[in-house]
Amino acid sequence: ERLKQEGQFEREKAKYEKILSFFTGDEGKDRMKNIFYLGAGSIATLFSFKIAAPIVSRYIKNIIFKPKLLTRSHSNNLWSNIIKKNKTFSPTAENIEVVLPKEVQTRLDSIVLGTRLTHERKG
């Protein structure tokens, strides 16, 4: 009976030494570093996808579903505003062509005229 217990004890001891040798020594340290790097890399990847996915999807939606009113922009006017005059680009009637329905265009023209007259009267 005693030999049987000693044999069982030796087998258990060998099994635990085998498990512990996996994490000890130079190879064990390398294994532990690799496991840590894998875990940290996985967490960083998942976090970056969680942050980047909404930003990228919003950007793609803005490109695909952008408004269609802007039909043409003159790049010469854009570059002359930016480079020659050192002004920031602001859309004006000279460099942007907008297509609007007739009644919206007349309403917009009346608003522009009213604003211009108010400005001329200074208030």
Side-chain angles (χ1 to χ4, degrees):
E1 186 69 28
R2 185 171 168 223
L3 289 175
K4 187 176 177 183
Q5 286 178 347
E6 285 180 11
Q8 192 175 13
F9 178 74
E10 291 296 324
R11 281 193 299 263
E12 290 292 323
K13 184 178 176 183
K15 184 167 56 170
Y16 286 121
E17 284 179 3
K18 189 174 182 182
I19 292 171
L20 289 176
S21 69
F22 185 80
F23 297 110
T24 58
D26 291 335
E27 289 182 12
K29 287 179 183 178
D30 288 340
R31 285 188 190 111
M32 291 300 288
K33 275 197 262 183
N34 289 337
I35 290 170
F36 173 75
Y37 292 148
L38 176 68
S42 300
I43 290 171
T45 302
L46 290 174
F47 183 73
S48 64
F49 277 128
K50 183 178 178 179
I51 299 299
I55 295 171
V56 170
S57 67
R58 191 176 327 127
Y59 176 74
I60 291 172
K61 284 180 187 175
N62 288 342
I63 287 176
I64 293 173
F65 300 113
K66 67 182 176 180
K68 301 294 186 213
L69 290 178
L70 181 64
T71 58
R72 182 167 55 104
S73 177
H74 301 284
S75 61
N76 291 340
N77 289 342
L78 170 69
W79 287 112
S80 65
N81 283 339
I82 292 175
I83 296 173
K84 294 178 186 173
K85 298 177 185 177
N86 289 327
K87 294 182 181 177
T88 58
F89 174 70
S90 61
T92 62
E94 298 169 1
N95 58 5
I96 293 180
E97 187 177 311
V98 179
V99 178
L100 295 172
K102 198 86 158 159
E103 57 268 350
V104 174
Q105 184 66 40
T106 57
R107 178 79 177 135
L108 187 62
D109 289 341
S110 66
I111 292 171
V112 169
L113 180 63
T115 305
R116 189 175 299 137
L117 291 175
T118 304
H119 177 69
E120 288 173 0
R121 287 187 305 220
K122 304 212 189 277

